[in-house]
Amino acid sequence: MKKQLYIIPGISGAVGNALLAQVLQDPHAVVYGVSREAKAYTGFINPETEFLYPKTFICSLGSIQDAQIKDFVTSIDFSSFNKVMCVHALGHFPFEINKKGEHVVNHDYDGDGINDITLDLSCRIFKSFTTEIRKVTNKEKKPFASVLFGSIVDQYRLKEHESWWKVMKMTKKYMHKAAGKHSAMHLVNISSILCSHEIATRPFVFIDTDADPAYWLAPAELATYLEKEMKKRNFFSGFHEHVVYKKRPDITHGYFSAKVFKERKMSELFGKS
């Protein structure tokens, strides 16, 4: 029986790690993880076949430029797999506000008002991976599905996350266009993830705000949700948008109003003192 391939850029993060642990419970699953901390992918090429071993490993693509992504995908023996999934666990969700409460866009080297790191990690790399994979899977009519994570606050177009939602708007447009009969695109909008990185980047979130970790999404819960969705018949066709979060009873739309959100975000980042 042929195996299912999971390509996970950003596998070293909380969501990537959780998904790795979840899908590898299936003996027919193979994971190609991508992490800059790992060994170069060329070290996993079988000299006899000149393709990557059809077994689980974690590798590096260097700076993850488009040419490197193309070479990596070209090295995959897709005939070894009956289905292919790419879960993009990379991303950059900047809080664009300083201690004075001013809107500040960092790393905007081209002056377009968008953080270039956000654009690179959350759009360019995702598009490059999925475009290269689709070239092969569409030709072979092999089922392919990709997953990208958005935020449940994207709909509010908040100034504090302007780079992020602008980038997600671009990427979502691409996903609609790229989705087809054999190539599915899944945008999964999620709430805050309960992990060390999330707390470290919002240092006062549980000190100076009313945030409750009981309503944050655990990485394992998200991985379980995705694994169940991947088994559905329509998972490999068309565009799908998901919303995954734990509903907190006292949260209303006013919670995300511009003034309230800004004050809460400043408290999360800088504290009230």
Side-chain angles (χ1 to χ4, degrees), residues 167-211:
V167 167
M168 293 306 296
K169 184 178 179 181
M170 297 178 203
T171 311
K172 186 175 178 179
K173 185 177 181 180
Y174 158 76
M175 294 174 78
H176 273 287
K177 187 179 295 186
K181 185 176 181 181
H182 302 289
S183 298
M185 292 279 164
H186 294 264
L187 177 59
V188 183
N189 296 311
I190 58 177
S191 62
S192 296
I193 294 291
L194 190 57
C195 65
S196 58
H197 174 77
E198 190 79 4
I199 299 171
T201 55
R202 300 158 69 178
F204 297 96
V205 65
F206 296 131
I207 296 174
D208 286 326
T209 81
D210 63 350

mmCIF file of all heavy atoms in Angstrom, residues 167-211:
data_model
loop_
_atom_site.group_PDB
_atom_site.id
_atom_site.type_symbol
_atom_site.label_atom_id
_atom_site.label_comp_id
_atom_site.label_asym_id
_atom_site.label_seq_id
_atom_site.Cartn_x
_atom_site.Cartn_y
_atom_site.Cartn_z
ATOM 1 N N VAL A 167 -1.314 40.654 4.074
ATOM 2 C CA VAL A 167 -0.638 39.498 3.468
ATOM 3 C C VAL A 167 -1.618 38.339 3.315
ATOM 4 O O VAL A 167 -1.653 37.677 2.270
ATOM 5 C CB VAL A 167 0.580 39.074 4.317
ATOM 6 C CG1 VAL A 167 1.087 37.703 3.886
ATOM 7 C CG2 VAL A 167 1.690 40.106 4.197
ATOM 8 N N MET A 168 -2.426 38.095 4.335
ATOM 9 C CA MET A 168 -3.391 37.000 4.256
ATOM 10 C C MET A 168 -4.423 37.243 3.163
ATOM 11 O O MET A 168 -4.888 36.301 2.513
ATOM 12 C CB MET A 168 -4.075 36.815 5.610
ATOM 13 C CG MET A 168 -3.158 36.323 6.716
ATOM 14 S SD MET A 168 -2.258 34.797 6.288
ATOM 15 C CE MET A 168 -3.617 33.659 6.112
ATOM 16 N N LYS A 169 -4.775 38.496 2.938
ATOM 17 C CA LYS A 169 -5.709 38.827 1.854
ATOM 18 C C LYS A 169 -5.109 38.443 0.505
ATOM 19 O O LYS A 169 -5.786 37.859 -0.353
ATOM 20 C CB LYS A 169 -6.029 40.324 1.894
ATOM 21 C CG LYS A 169 -7.057 40.767 0.865
ATOM 22 C CD LYS A 169 -7.347 42.257 1.000
ATOM 23 C CE LYS A 169 -8.365 42.718 -0.033
ATOM 24 N NZ LYS A 169 -8.636 44.182 0.082
ATOM 25 N N MET A 170 -3.819 38.759 0.305
ATOM 26 C CA MET A 170 -3.132 38.372 -0.939
ATOM 27 C C MET A 170 -3.090 36.851 -1.090
ATOM 28 O O MET A 170 -3.362 36.296 -2.172
ATOM 29 C CB MET A 170 -1.688 38.877 -0.926
ATOM 30 C CG MET A 170 -1.500 40.365 -0.879
ATOM 31 S SD MET A 170 0.289 40.728 -0.819
ATOM 32 C CE MET A 170 0.257 42.355 -0.084
ATOM 33 N N THR A 171 -2.704 36.178 0.000
ATOM 34 C CA THR A 171 -2.536 34.732 -0.058
ATOM 35 C C THR A 171 -3.871 34.027 -0.283
ATOM 36 O O THR A 171 -3.956 33.048 -1.028
ATOM 37 C CB THR A 171 -1.883 34.221 1.241
ATOM 38 O OG1 THR A 171 -0.731 35.012 1.546
ATOM 39 C CG2 THR A 171 -1.449 32.774 1.089
ATOM 40 N N LYS A 172 -4.916 34.537 0.333
ATOM 41 C CA LYS A 172 -6.247 33.943 0.155
ATOM 42 C C LYS A 172 -6.700 34.072 -1.297
ATOM 43 O O LYS A 172 -7.322 33.143 -1.853
ATOM 44 C CB LYS A 172 -7.243 34.621 1.102
ATOM 45 C CG LYS A 172 -8.622 33.975 1.111
ATOM 46 C CD LYS A 172 -9.508 34.634 2.157
ATOM 47 C CE LYS A 172 -10.899 34.048 2.154
ATOM 48 N NZ LYS A 172 -11.775 34.665 3.202
ATOM 49 N N LYS A 173 -6.394 35.183 -1.919
ATOM 50 C CA LYS A 173 -6.727 35.366 -3.334
ATOM 51 C C LYS A 173 -6.026 34.315 -4.181
ATOM 52 O O LYS A 173 -6.625 33.722 -5.094
ATOM 53 C CB LYS A 173 -6.320 36.774 -3.785
ATOM 54 C CG LYS A 173 -6.716 37.117 -5.205
ATOM 55 C CD LYS A 173 -6.347 38.561 -5.540
ATOM 56 C CE LYS A 173 -6.761 38.919 -6.958
ATOM 57 N NZ LYS A 173 -6.409 40.335 -7.285
ATOM 58 N N TYR A 174 -4.748 34.077 -3.893
ATOM 59 C CA TYR A 174 -3.998 33.029 -4.596
ATOM 60 C C TYR A 174 -4.617 31.660 -4.357
ATOM 61 O O TYR A 174 -4.746 30.850 -5.290
ATOM 62 C CB TYR A 174 -2.538 33.034 -4.132
ATOM 63 C CG TYR A 174 -1.827 31.722 -4.358
ATOM 64 C CD1 TYR A 174 -1.386 31.352 -5.634
ATOM 65 C CD2 TYR A 174 -1.616 30.833 -3.307
ATOM 66 C CE1 TYR A 174 -0.751 30.125 -5.850
ATOM 67 C CE2 TYR A 174 -0.981 29.615 -3.516
ATOM 68 C CZ TYR A 174 -0.550 29.275 -4.786
ATOM 69 O OH TYR A 174 0.069 28.056 -4.997
ATOM 70 N N MET A 175 -5.022 31.373 -3.137
ATOM 71 C CA MET A 175 -5.580 30.067 -2.795
ATOM 72 C C MET A 175 -6.867 29.792 -3.571
ATOM 73 O O MET A 175 -7.093 28.680 -4.050
ATOM 74 C CB MET A 175 -5.836 29.987 -1.290
ATOM 75 C CG MET A 175 -4.566 30.023 -0.449
ATOM 76 S SD MET A 175 -4.889 30.111 1.336
ATOM 77 C CE MET A 175 -5.326 28.402 1.674
ATOM 78 N N HIS A 176 -7.718 30.808 -3.681
ATOM 79 C CA HIS A 176 -8.958 30.649 -4.453
ATOM 80 C C HIS A 176 -8.632 30.302 -5.904
ATOM 81 O O HIS A 176 -9.268 29.430 -6.514
ATOM 82 C CB HIS A 176 -9.776 31.941 -4.407
ATOM 83 C CG HIS A 176 -10.689 32.038 -3.217
ATOM 84 N ND1 HIS A 176 -11.832 31.293 -3.097
ATOM 85 C CD2 HIS A 176 -10.606 32.798 -2.103
ATOM 86 C CE1 HIS A 176 -12.438 31.587 -1.964
ATOM 87 N NE2 HIS A 176 -11.710 32.501 -1.328
ATOM 88 N N LYS A 177 -7.643 30.979 -6.454
ATOM 89 C CA LYS A 177 -7.274 30.769 -7.848
ATOM 90 C C LYS A 177 -6.628 29.396 -8.065
ATOM 91 O O LYS A 177 -6.840 28.747 -9.091
ATOM 92 C CB LYS A 177 -6.317 31.876 -8.303
ATOM 93 C CG LYS A 177 -5.995 31.862 -9.791
ATOM 94 C CD LYS A 177 -5.069 33.009 -10.170
ATOM 95 C CE LYS A 177 -5.739 34.353 -9.970
ATOM 96 N NZ LYS A 177 -4.917 35.489 -10.476
ATOM 97 N N ALA A 178 -5.835 28.958 -7.078
ATOM 98 C CA ALA A 178 -5.084 27.710 -7.224
ATOM 99 C C ALA A 178 -5.915 26.463 -6.947
ATOM 100 O O ALA A 178 -5.585 25.373 -7.422
ATOM 101 C CB ALA A 178 -3.870 27.724 -6.290
ATOM 102 N N ALA A 179 -6.981 26.606 -6.191
ATOM 103 C CA ALA A 179 -7.793 25.447 -5.823
ATOM 104 C C ALA A 179 -8.456 24.834 -7.056
ATOM 105 O O ALA A 179 -8.899 25.543 -7.960
ATOM 106 C CB ALA A 179 -8.858 25.854 -4.813
ATOM 107 N N GLY A 180 -8.494 23.514 -7.079
ATOM 108 C CA GLY A 180 -9.093 22.834 -8.227
ATOM 109 C C GLY A 180 -9.585 21.452 -7.855
ATOM 110 O O GLY A 180 -9.671 21.092 -6.671
ATOM 111 N N LYS A 181 -9.863 20.660 -8.863
ATOM 112 C CA LYS A 181 -10.442 19.328 -8.659
ATOM 113 C C LYS A 181 -9.499 18.411 -7.904
ATOM 114 O O LYS A 181 -9.921 17.594 -7.083
ATOM 115 C CB LYS A 181 -10.805 18.709 -10.011
ATOM 116 C CG LYS A 181 -11.528 17.373 -9.903
ATOM 117 C CD LYS A 181 -11.935 16.866 -11.266
ATOM 118 C CE LYS A 181 -12.678 15.545 -11.147
ATOM 119 N NZ LYS A 181 -13.077 15.015 -12.490
ATOM 120 N N HIS A 182 -8.198 18.543 -8.183
ATOM 121 C CA HIS A 182 -7.215 17.672 -7.532
ATOM 122 C C HIS A 182 -6.281 18.440 -6.598
ATOM 123 O O HIS A 182 -5.327 17.859 -6.076
ATOM 124 C CB HIS A 182 -6.379 16.942 -8.587
ATOM 125 C CG HIS A 182 -7.190 16.110 -9.534
ATOM 126 N ND1 HIS A 182 -7.808 14.937 -9.152
ATOM 127 C CD2 HIS A 182 -7.500 16.294 -10.845
ATOM 128 C CE1 HIS A 182 -8.453 14.424 -10.190
ATOM 129 N NE2 HIS A 182 -8.287 15.223 -11.223
ATOM 130 N N SER A 183 -6.546 19.720 -6.427
ATOM 131 C CA SER A 183 -5.671 20.546 -5.573
ATOM 132 C C SER A 183 -6.524 21.384 -4.627
ATOM 133 O O SER A 183 -7.116 22.388 -5.031
ATOM 134 C CB SER A 183 -4.800 21.468 -6.436
ATOM 135 O OG SER A 183 -3.949 20.730 -7.271
ATOM 136 N N ALA A 184 -6.581 20.982 -3.375
ATOM 137 C CA ALA A 184 -7.392 21.688 -2.393
ATOM 138 C C ALA A 184 -6.558 22.715 -1.644
ATOM 139 O O ALA A 184 -5.359 22.547 -1.440
ATOM 140 C CB ALA A 184 -8.001 20.702 -1.401
ATOM 141 N N MET A 185 -7.212 23.795 -1.256
ATOM 142 C CA MET A 185 -6.588 24.834 -0.458
ATOM 143 C C MET A 185 -7.446 25.065 0.784
ATOM 144 O O MET A 185 -8.639 25.369 0.671
ATOM 145 C CB MET A 185 -6.484 26.140 -1.268
ATOM 146 C CG MET A 185 -5.524 26.075 -2.435
ATOM 147 S SD MET A 185 -3.824 26.324 -1.884
ATOM 148 C CE MET A 185 -2.911 25.732 -3.327
ATOM 149 N N HIS A 186 -6.828 24.911 1.946
ATOM 150 C CA HIS A 186 -7.530 25.064 3.214
ATOM 151 C C HIS A 186 -6.944 26.218 4.013
ATOM 152 O O HIS A 186 -5.751 26.209 4.338
ATOM 153 C CB HIS A 186 -7.426 23.787 4.045
ATOM 154 C CG HIS A 186 -8.118 22.607 3.444
ATOM 155 N ND1 HIS A 186 -9.399 22.227 3.798
ATOM 156 C CD2 HIS A 186 -7.709 21.718 2.492
ATOM 157 C CE1 HIS A 186 -9.750 21.162 3.100
ATOM 158 N NE2 HIS A 186 -8.739 20.836 2.305
ATOM 159 N N LEU A 187 -7.773 27.201 4.307
ATOM 160 C CA LEU A 187 -7.381 28.295 5.184
ATOM 161 C C LEU A 187 -8.028 28.028 6.545
ATOM 162 O O LEU A 187 -9.255 27.985 6.655
ATOM 163 C CB LEU A 187 -7.856 29.642 4.632
ATOM 164 C CG LEU A 187 -7.576 30.864 5.497
ATOM 165 C CD1 LEU A 187 -6.076 31.034 5.756
ATOM 166 C CD2 LEU A 187 -8.137 32.125 4.856
ATOM 167 N N VAL A 188 -7.205 27.829 7.564
ATOM 168 C CA VAL A 188 -7.705 27.480 8.895
ATOM 169 C C VAL A 188 -7.479 28.659 9.833
ATOM 170 O O VAL A 188 -6.347 28.930 10.245
ATOM 171 C CB VAL A 188 -7.000 26.213 9.436
ATOM 172 C CG1 VAL A 188 -7.590 25.824 10.792
ATOM 173 C CG2 VAL A 188 -7.140 25.057 8.452
ATOM 174 N N ASN A 189 -8.541 29.379 10.137
ATOM 175 C CA ASN A 189 -8.458 30.540 11.022
ATOM 176 C C ASN A 189 -8.549 30.069 12.470
ATOM 177 O O ASN A 189 -9.512 29.401 12.853
ATOM 178 C CB ASN A 189 -9.579 31.526 10.708
ATOM 179 C CG ASN A 189 -9.446 32.095 9.307
ATOM 180 O OD1 ASN A 189 -8.377 32.554 8.920
ATOM 181 N ND2 ASN A 189 -10.530 32.061 8.542
ATOM 182 N N ILE A 190 -7.552 30.423 13.261
ATOM 183 C CA ILE A 190 -7.458 29.912 14.619
ATOM 184 C C ILE A 190 -7.339 31.048 15.641
ATOM 185 O O ILE A 190 -7.007 32.177 15.299
ATOM 186 C CB ILE A 190 -6.257 28.950 14.777
ATOM 187 C CG1 ILE A 190 -4.947 29.673 14.413
ATOM 188 C CG2 ILE A 190 -6.460 27.714 13.927
ATOM 189 C CD1 ILE A 190 -3.701 28.831 14.595
ATOM 190 N N SER A 191 -7.590 30.703 16.891
ATOM 191 C CA SER A 191 -7.414 31.643 17.990
ATOM 192 C C SER A 191 -5.975 31.542 18.482
ATOM 193 O O SER A 191 -5.136 30.875 17.864
ATOM 194 C CB SER A 191 -8.380 31.287 19.120
ATOM 195 O OG SER A 191 -8.091 29.978 19.609
ATOM 196 N N SER A 192 -5.669 32.161 19.602
ATOM 197 C CA SER A 192 -4.326 32.083 20.175
ATOM 198 C C SER A 192 -3.972 30.632 20.489
ATOM 199 O O SER A 192 -4.805 29.870 20.984
ATOM 200 C CB SER A 192 -4.254 32.906 21.463
ATOM 201 O OG SER A 192 -4.458 34.273 21.192
ATOM 202 N N ILE A 193 -2.729 30.267 20.184
ATOM 203 C CA ILE A 193 -2.244 28.927 20.458
ATOM 204 C C ILE A 193 -1.568 28.917 21.825
ATOM 205 O O ILE A 193 -0.741 29.780 22.135
ATOM 206 C CB ILE A 193 -1.241 28.478 19.372
ATOM 207 C CG1 ILE A 193 -1.946 28.345 18.017
ATOM 208 C CG2 ILE A 193 -0.575 27.166 19.747
ATOM 209 C CD1 ILE A 193 -2.930 27.200 17.932
ATOM 210 N N LEU A 194 -1.885 27.925 22.627
ATOM 211 C CA LEU A 194 -1.290 27.820 23.960
ATOM 212 C C LEU A 194 0.082 27.160 23.858
ATOM 213 O O LEU A 194 0.208 25.928 23.879
ATOM 214 C CB LEU A 194 -2.203 27.016 24.887
ATOM 215 C CG LEU A 194 -1.836 27.009 26.380
ATOM 216 C CD1 LEU A 194 -1.764 28.431 26.923
ATOM 217 C CD2 LEU A 194 -2.857 26.194 27.163
ATOM 218 N N CYS A 195 1.105 28.001 23.695
ATOM 219 C CA CYS A 195 2.478 27.510 23.573
ATOM 220 C C CYS A 195 3.430 28.566 24.123
ATOM 221 O O CYS A 195 3.055 29.726 24.308
ATOM 222 C CB CYS A 195 2.823 27.179 22.120
ATOM 223 S SG CYS A 195 2.844 28.612 21.026
ATOM 224 N N SER A 196 4.653 28.179 24.374
ATOM 225 C CA SER A 196 5.617 29.081 24.995
ATOM 226 C C SER A 196 5.919 30.296 24.133
ATOM 227 O O SER A 196 6.057 31.417 24.639
ATOM 228 C CB SER A 196 6.916 28.327 25.313
ATOM 229 O OG SER A 196 7.470 27.762 24.135
ATOM 230 N N HIS A 197 5.994 30.110 22.809
ATOM 231 C CA HIS A 197 6.306 31.232 21.925
ATOM 232 C C HIS A 197 5.230 32.314 22.011
ATOM 233 O O HIS A 197 5.533 33.514 22.053
ATOM 234 C CB HIS A 197 6.445 30.753 20.485
ATOM 235 C CG HIS A 197 6.629 31.865 19.493
ATOM 236 N ND1 HIS A 197 7.827 32.516 19.323
ATOM 237 C CD2 HIS A 197 5.747 32.462 18.638
ATOM 238 C CE1 HIS A 197 7.697 33.459 18.406
ATOM 239 N NE2 HIS A 197 6.443 33.447 17.972
ATOM 240 N N GLU A 198 3.985 31.883 22.037
ATOM 241 C CA GLU A 198 2.871 32.839 22.072
ATOM 242 C C GLU A 198 2.921 33.680 23.342
ATOM 243 O O GLU A 198 2.676 34.888 23.323
ATOM 244 C CB GLU A 198 1.540 32.082 21.991
ATOM 245 C CG GLU A 198 0.335 32.957 21.774
ATOM 246 C CD GLU A 198 0.147 33.416 20.341
ATOM 247 O OE1 GLU A 198 0.927 32.979 19.467
ATOM 248 O OE2 GLU A 198 -0.761 34.226 20.100
ATOM 249 N N ILE A 199 3.260 33.048 24.462
ATOM 250 C CA ILE A 199 3.317 33.776 25.725
ATOM 251 C C ILE A 199 4.560 34.663 25.782
ATOM 252 O O ILE A 199 4.509 35.796 26.266
ATOM 253 C CB ILE A 199 3.289 32.794 26.917
ATOM 254 C CG1 ILE A 199 1.990 31.984 26.890
ATOM 255 C CG2 ILE A 199 3.398 33.554 28.234
ATOM 256 C CD1 ILE A 199 1.950 30.853 27.889
ATOM 257 N N ALA A 200 5.673 34.167 25.258
ATOM 258 C CA ALA A 200 6.907 34.956 25.281
ATOM 259 C C ALA A 200 6.780 36.242 24.470
ATOM 260 O O ALA A 200 7.369 37.264 24.817
ATOM 261 C CB ALA A 200 8.072 34.116 24.761
ATOM 262 N N THR A 201 6.016 36.194 23.380
ATOM 263 C CA THR A 201 5.853 37.381 22.541
ATOM 264 C C THR A 201 4.743 38.301 23.041
ATOM 265 O O THR A 201 4.578 39.407 22.523
ATOM 266 C CB THR A 201 5.555 36.983 21.083
ATOM 267 O OG1 THR A 201 4.407 36.124 21.038
ATOM 268 C CG2 THR A 201 6.750 36.260 20.471
ATOM 269 N N ARG A 202 3.996 37.849 24.029
ATOM 270 C CA ARG A 202 2.949 38.670 24.665
ATOM 271 C C ARG A 202 3.170 38.558 26.180
ATOM 272 O O ARG A 202 2.359 37.971 26.893
ATOM 273 C CB ARG A 202 1.562 38.147 24.266
ATOM 274 C CG ARG A 202 1.328 38.193 22.773
ATOM 275 C CD ARG A 202 0.237 37.234 22.303
ATOM 276 N NE ARG A 202 -1.080 37.626 22.743
ATOM 277 C CZ ARG A 202 -2.192 36.957 22.422
ATOM 278 N NH1 ARG A 202 -2.116 35.884 21.658
ATOM 279 N NH2 ARG A 202 -3.360 37.356 22.874
ATOM 280 N N PRO A 203 4.273 39.076 26.692
ATOM 281 C CA PRO A 203 4.760 38.748 28.036
ATOM 282 C C PRO A 203 3.814 39.019 29.196
ATOM 283 O O PRO A 203 3.874 38.330 30.217
ATOM 284 C CB PRO A 203 6.035 39.587 28.161
ATOM 285 C CG PRO A 203 5.922 40.645 27.116
ATOM 286 C CD PRO A 203 5.172 40.016 26.002
ATOM 287 N N PHE A 204 2.918 39.998 29.062
ATOM 288 C CA PHE A 204 2.030 40.346 30.173
ATOM 289 C C PHE A 204 0.592 39.877 29.946
ATOM 290 O O PHE A 204 -0.317 40.321 30.637
ATOM 291 C CB PHE A 204 2.052 41.868 30.398
ATOM 292 C CG PHE A 204 3.404 42.394 30.807
ATOM 293 C CD1 PHE A 204 4.271 42.918 29.852
ATOM 294 C CD2 PHE A 204 3.822 42.338 32.123
ATOM 295 C CE1 PHE A 204 5.521 43.399 30.212
ATOM 296 C CE2 PHE A 204 5.074 42.808 32.495
ATOM 297 C CZ PHE A 204 5.933 43.342 31.543
ATOM 298 N N VAL A 205 0.415 38.960 28.991
ATOM 299 C CA VAL A 205 -0.936 38.575 28.585
ATOM 300 C C VAL A 205 -1.750 37.983 29.733
ATOM 301 O O VAL A 205 -2.956 38.218 29.839
ATOM 302 C CB VAL A 205 -0.896 37.618 27.370
ATOM 303 C CG1 VAL A 205 -0.236 36.288 27.718
ATOM 304 C CG2 VAL A 205 -2.293 37.401 26.801
ATOM 305 N N PHE A 206 -1.112 37.220 30.622
ATOM 306 C CA PHE A 206 -1.847 36.627 31.737
ATOM 307 C C PHE A 206 -1.650 37.411 33.042
ATOM 308 O O PHE A 206 -2.098 36.985 34.098
ATOM 309 C CB PHE A 206 -1.428 35.170 31.934
ATOM 310 C CG PHE A 206 -1.772 34.289 30.762
ATOM 311 C CD1 PHE A 206 -0.828 33.437 30.220
ATOM 312 C CD2 PHE A 206 -3.034 34.320 30.195
ATOM 313 C CE1 PHE A 206 -1.137 32.620 29.140
ATOM 314 C CE2 PHE A 206 -3.358 33.521 29.117
ATOM 315 C CZ PHE A 206 -2.406 32.658 28.579
ATOM 316 N N ILE A 207 -0.958 38.542 32.942
ATOM 317 C CA ILE A 207 -0.703 39.372 34.121
ATOM 318 C C ILE A 207 -1.572 40.619 34.108
ATOM 319 O O ILE A 207 -2.225 40.953 35.102
ATOM 320 C CB ILE A 207 0.792 39.765 34.193
ATOM 321 C CG1 ILE A 207 1.650 38.501 34.371
ATOM 322 C CG2 ILE A 207 1.042 40.751 35.341
ATOM 323 C CD1 ILE A 207 3.135 38.759 34.307
ATOM 324 N N ASP A 208 -1.603 41.297 32.961
ATOM 325 C CA ASP A 208 -2.301 42.577 32.888
ATOM 326 C C ASP A 208 -3.501 42.589 31.944
ATOM 327 O O ASP A 208 -3.959 43.656 31.541
ATOM 328 C CB ASP A 208 -1.314 43.680 32.479
ATOM 329 C CG ASP A 208 -0.380 44.069 33.619
ATOM 330 O OD1 ASP A 208 -0.821 44.026 34.778
ATOM 331 O OD2 ASP A 208 0.788 44.379 33.356
ATOM 332 N N THR A 209 -3.992 41.406 31.558
ATOM 333 C CA THR A 209 -5.231 41.344 30.772
ATOM 334 C C THR A 209 -6.099 40.239 31.354
ATOM 335 O O THR A 209 -5.668 39.485 32.233
ATOM 336 C CB THR A 209 -4.975 41.053 29.274
ATOM 337 O OG1 THR A 209 -4.774 39.651 29.080
ATOM 338 C CG2 THR A 209 -3.771 41.821 28.754
ATOM 339 N N ASP A 210 -7.314 40.126 30.836
ATOM 340 C CA ASP A 210 -8.228 39.088 31.329
ATOM 341 C C ASP A 210 -8.144 37.807 30.500
ATOM 342 O O ASP A 210 -9.046 36.967 30.551
ATOM 343 C CB ASP A 210 -9.666 39.606 31.329
ATOM 344 C CG ASP A 210 -10.166 39.945 29.932
ATOM 345 O OD1 ASP A 210 -9.343 39.965 28.986
ATOM 346 O OD2 ASP A 210 -11.377 40.199 29.772
ATOM 347 N N ALA A 211 -7.066 37.635 29.738
ATOM 348 C CA ALA A 211 -6.898 36.440 28.918
ATOM 349 C C ALA A 211 -6.942 35.187 29.793
ATOM 350 O O ALA A 211 -6.365 35.146 30.872
ATOM 351 C CB ALA A 211 -5.577 36.503 28.158
#
